[in-house]
Amino acid sequence: DTAVSQTPKYLVTQMGNDKSIKCEQNLGHDTMYWYKQDSKKFLKIMFSYNNKELIINETVPNRFSPKSPDKAHLNLHINSLELGDSAVYFCASSQAWDRTNYGYTFGSGTRLTVV
Amino acid sequence: AQRVTQPEKLLSVFKGAPVELKCNYSYSGSPELFWYVQYSRQRLQLLLRHISRESIKGFTADLNKGETSFHLKKPFAQEEDSAMYYCALKEGAQKLVFGQGTRLTINP
């Protein structure tokens, strides 16, 4: 039973298209994140939601819009895709108050290729 | 400003040799640090956290506040340790900032 699941796993699309990536966690965590891993494997936070409320928004172009319908789901919608958006996008979740066991649980990633 | 630095992008050692993956951080408060590992074609997994002072898969990491370091060590490398390793620093209540990652290759 996958703890953090992302769909789709692979996404190939043309420049200018709009696409969405979905993420769901069944851990009961209160915080969810989107990270981008570029071609050099550098991981950078994009967004974070805590109980459906946006708490981190890291200088990401506004073509990227996260949506959290409930605390178990965090989706990422990308408008007008550009070549530079090609990357692996990771969803993650954590439980903020659990200091002893704090850590992210990651999804398996979505490899987005813009052609 | 870079808050977590992993100076080696690539590290290659022979099986049975000791391994040390370096991580340095800059943080004004009391740091909480983590090591994450990503095996080939798998998701990132938490390897260990400094607060737990644990040893996982033979790896340990000690927080050295004087040197602002959190190096990951293993006395005898195994082939299955080949992976991408990320050091991470917790900033604020919930955000993890990751280093650039070190690709560790264990040669037979």
Side-chain angles (χ1 to χ4, degrees):
Chain A
D1 199 21
T2 306
V4 181
S5 58
Q6 290 178 235
T7 53
K9 221 175 152 100
Y10 300 96
L11 186 53
V12 181
T13 187
Q14 288 188 322
M15 271 194 334
N17 283 351
D18 303 339
K19 289 292 176 188
S20 291
I21 308 171
K22 294 187 176 185
C23 180
E24 176 181 2
Q25 55 97 2
N26 63 7
L27 297 164
H29 286 169
D30 59 7
T31 309
M32 295 183 73
Y33 311 81
W34 279 110
Y35 274 77
K36 181 180 179 180
Q37 186 181 45
D38 62 24
S39 56
K40 295 182 180 175
K41 301 290 187 183
F42 187 51
L43 265 171
K44 195 159 184 251
I45 191 166
M46 300 173 71
F47 300 104
S48 174
Y49 270 74
N50 176 269
N51 282 320
K52 303 194 295 174
E53 188 182 330
L54 180 67
I55 54 169
I56 296 173
N57 183 345
E58 292 274 312
T59 56
V60 177
N62 54 18
R63 296 183 296 104
F64 290 78
S65 51
K67 287 219 171 26
S68 182
D70 55 62
K71 73 173 195 178
H73 295 84
L74 179 61
N75 304 324
L76 183 65
H77 188 76
I78 316 169
N79 287 329
S80 304
L81 277 153
E82 299 176 358
L83 293 175
D85 298 332
S86 296
V88 181
Y89 292 84
F90 284 99
C91 178
S93 71
S94 69
Q95 186 60 39
W97 55 261
D98 192 352
R99 187 175 153 74
T100 304
N101 292 310
Y102 185 85
Y104 286 5
T105 302
F106 280 89
S108 55
T110 296
R111 184 174 294 277
L112 171 65
T113 305
V114 183
V115 297
Chain B
Q2 188 67 44
R3 290 160 293 216
V4 181
T5 305
Q6 292 178 248
E8 302 138 329
K9 278 182 90 165
L10 302 168
L11 182 64
S12 186
V13 302
F14 285 102
K15 181 179 162 183
V19 173
E20 183 179 52
L21 291 97
K22 292 186 167 49
C23 173
N24 289 89
Y25 67 91
S26 61
Y27 190 64
S28 54
S30 190
E32 285 187 54
L33 287 141
F34 306 79
W35 276 99
Y36 279 79
V37 60
Q38 187 177 25
Y39 299 104
S40 180
R41 300 191 182 282
Q42 292 187 32
R43 67 187 69 204
L44 272 140
Q45 306 168 35
L46 177 64
L47 182 61
L48 54 80
R49 50 175 80 83
H50 94 268
I51 201 167
S52 306
R53 304 182 71 81
E54 58 210 336
S55 172
I56 305 290
K57 299 185 180 183
F59 283 98
T60 58
D62 290 318
L63 178 62
N64 185 324
K65 290 187 180 179
E67 296 182 359
T68 59
S69 69
F70 187 57
H71 303 329
L72 183 69
K73 298 177 186 177
K74 184 168 181 175
F76 307 104
Q78 296 170 287
E79 285 185 65
E80 54 265 33
D81 295 329
S82 293
M84 194 79 182
Y85 289 81
Y86 290 93
C87 182
L89 167 72
K90 189 170 172 223
E91 275 196 351
Q94 299 180 49
K95 177 178 158 186
L96 282 186
V97 175
F98 288 84
Q100 307 96 312
T102 298
R103 183 174 295 283
L104 175 65
T105 303
I106 308 300
N107 300 307

